[in-house]
Amino acid sequence: MSLLGVVRFRVCVHSTKFISSQFGRQLLQPLGFKMADHNPTIVSSPDGMDVAAMRKKYKTGHEAFVEDHLVAKEPIEQFTDWFKTARQLNGIEEANAMTLATATKDGRPSARWVLLKGYGKEGFKFYTNYESRKSKELLENPFACLVFYWAALSRSVRIEGRVEKLSEEESTKYFHSRPFDSQIGACVSHQSTVIESRDVLTTRDAELKEQYKDKTVPKPDYWGGFIVIPEVVEFWQGQSNRLHDRIVFRRPKDGETADGKLLHQGDDGWVYTRLSP
């Protein structure tokens, strides 16, 4: 930096300190200068709302989620424990709601809400239209991420893994377990296709309800299930000081061994570790 630059920098620094001082404010305000607050509002939305200041208190330090609180050393039983708690809490209406994130073959992501309809050691199941955007992306790039977020508990679970289609038999069995209106809805909607108006849906809905009012609704060929086979499962619990708890289960890499310090041996072929928030 040149000598002139150094002088300018020092003048700027000292001027800033002077203006922000109480004496500087008292001297400059009568001259018409408007002084900024020490904690100015950040306008972070088109309507002037301070979105940046929106914060929710989570749990406190004495409610931390530590390794000793794990009910199991594998993720499925641990998920069952958290899922049961979420299901039983009155403030959570759909504990099985989850974000499904997919990506095209060239890496363009998309996400949407779907409902968990079954799970176990084999994986996490949901059902959809095979002609939808999510299905097309899953069929060309069979990997996905699921995220559950239970705000009332300050808890989240993230699941990453490979995706496979469920059998036609299992999809058909589930389809016929759905309410009549839901079966008709699956037949009416060619998901993700462009339509002229909502009237297209309501008209077709009425036609099919009349057609199948005393009959079994056939499952459309373009409708069925997927299963996400977990490779990584992260359990997150929020802390008000943002030192959130993150315990992650994953499959070990070839030749990797648990050292009991940074990497812990779990059950059923899993290892687990803690991540910094």
Side-chain angles (χ1 to χ4, degrees), residues 8-272:
R8 284 176 174 170
F9 174 76
R10 289 182 175 177
V11 169
C12 180
V13 169
H14 288 296
S15 297
T16 302
K17 290 181 178 179
F18 168 75
I19 291 171
S20 61
S21 68
Q22 184 176 1
F23 176 72
R25 286 168 173 263
Q26 290 173 347
L27 181 64
L28 294 176
Q29 281 176 338
L31 299 178
F33 288 92
K34 293 183 177 181
M35 312 303 292
D37 295 330
H38 286 293
N39 298 306
T41 296
I42 300 174
V43 177
S44 48
S45 72
D47 64 356
M49 184 184 301
D50 187 5
V51 179
M54 295 174 66
R55 291 179 177 85
K56 177 183 181 296
K57 287 188 176 181
Y58 299 127
K59 296 182 181 294
T60 56
H62 70 276
E63 298 175 289
F65 175 51
V66 297
E67 286 75 359
D68 288 344
H69 295 161
L70 290 169
V71 300
K73 297 299 177 67
E74 54 86 16
I76 305 305
E77 188 176 342
Q78 181 63 43
F79 176 83
T80 298
D81 181 68
W82 277 25
F83 187 50
K84 180 180 179 180
T85 301
R87 285 187 357 248
Q88 294 175 342
L89 196 65
N90 291 331
I92 299 176
E93 294 186 2
E94 287 187 305
N96 61 329
M98 58 187 183
T99 299
L100 165 67
T102 59
T104 59
K105 188 178 292 186
D106 57 355
R108 291 186 175 272
S110 63
R112 74 289 293 159
W113 288 99
V114 297
L115 296 177
L116 177 70
K117 289 299 177 180
Y119 76 94
K121 291 185 182 295
E122 71 279 9
F124 296 77
K125 302 174 183 179
F126 65 93
Y127 295 85
T128 188
N129 186 308
Y130 286 146
E131 296 177 350
S132 65
R133 176 179 176 178
K134 57 181 161 315
S135 294
K136 290 177 180 179
E137 291 181 0
L138 288 172
L139 292 173
E140 73 172 31
N141 182 16
F143 295 91
C145 179
L146 304 173
V147 180
F148 295 85
Y149 179 55
W150 303 304
L153 293 168
S154 300
R155 285 178 172 178
S156 177
V157 179
R158 179 174 57 84
I159 300 155
E160 301 174 24
R162 183 168 48 86
V163 178
E164 296 179 359
K165 289 176 72 173
L166 293 175
S167 68
E168 183 70 9
E169 180 183 2
E170 187 169 359
S171 292
T172 300
K173 182 178 180 180
Y174 171 73
F175 180 82
H176 288 127
S177 74
R178 306 175 84 207
F180 176 75
D181 284 356
S182 297
Q183 294 182 43
I184 294 295
C187 298
V188 168
S189 176
H190 292 272
Q191 198 173 98
S192 299
T193 59
V194 178
I195 57 176
E196 183 178 350
S197 70
R198 183 171 177 78
D199 292 341
V200 174
L201 301 177
T202 55
T203 299
R204 184 59 176 158
D205 184 65
E207 292 173 351
L208 291 181
K209 283 180 177 177
E210 178 62 26
Q211 180 179 346
Y212 293 111
K213 63 181 180 181
D214 297 317
K215 301 176 184 177
T216 299
V217 181
K219 182 189 77 64
D221 293 338
Y222 53 78
W223 193 95
F226 285 102
I227 183 170
V228 179
I229 302 167
E231 298 171 357
V232 177
V233 183
E234 176 178 332
F235 295 88
W236 177 97
Q237 182 168 286
Q239 296 290 338
S240 291
N241 61 2
R242 276 27 186 186
L243 298 181
H244 309 306
D245 294 305
R246 299 176 63 191
I247 296 180
V248 180
F249 287 87
R250 61 176 175 82
R251 295 299 187 184
K253 301 173 185 176
D254 291 342
E256 186 177 38
T257 57
D259 60 9
K261 184 176 180 181
L262 295 179
L263 185 65
H264 306 274
Q265 184 62 53
D267 296 331
D268 294 342
W270 293 91
V271 293
Y272 64 96

